[in-house]
Amino acid sequence: MATKRMTPGFSDQVMGLVKTLRTDAPDCVASGVVDMATGMLLSYETIDNHPPEVLDLLAGATLDLFQGRTVVMIEDVFKERRGSPVTTTSSRRSSSTARTSPTCSCG
């Protein structure tokens, strides 16, 4: 499987996005970017200090939110109604590309 290379300055772009999300969204207390292929938290910014274990749990919850069983089931229902091939959860996770998802926790 080929690995997609990130452009130079990608890390700076991600960190800038996270900071902008947190500062520009009203009442936002935290923002972050999660790699949807691995569930790894790539960058985050919060107004409080949090232990790394809590941030890891949040990254996993974000992955489940977007790729969990319920979401996959809903997507499969839509695919079935459109006549598209339905994928299983295990094949979907193993074949997913390196996507990221910004997360903003706003109050």
Side-chain angles (χ1 to χ4, degrees), residues 13-78:
Q13 291 175 0
V14 169
M15 289 188 303
L17 169 71
V18 168
K19 184 176 183 75
T20 300
L21 283 171
R22 215 233 7 103
T23 57
D24 289 356
D27 301 321
C28 186
V29 296
S31 64
V33 175
V34 175
D35 182 325
M36 296 303 288
T38 63
M40 186 169 107
L41 185 61
L42 300 177
S43 180
Y44 68 92
E45 181 171 308
T46 67
I47 60 172
D48 294 323
N49 291 327
H50 300 285
E53 300 82 23
V54 171
L55 297 171
D56 289 341
L57 287 172
L58 180 60
T62 301
L63 181 66
D64 279 346
L65 177 66
F66 289 101
Q67 292 187 347
R69 270 188 344 196
T70 305
V71 172
V72 172
M73 182 181 67
I74 292 167
E75 288 176 348
D76 287 346
V77 167
F78 283 126

Side-chain angles (χ1 to χ4, degrees), residues 5-13:
R5 293 193 183 260
M6 299 300 168
T7 59
F10 179 74
S11 179
D12 292 333
Q13 291 175 0

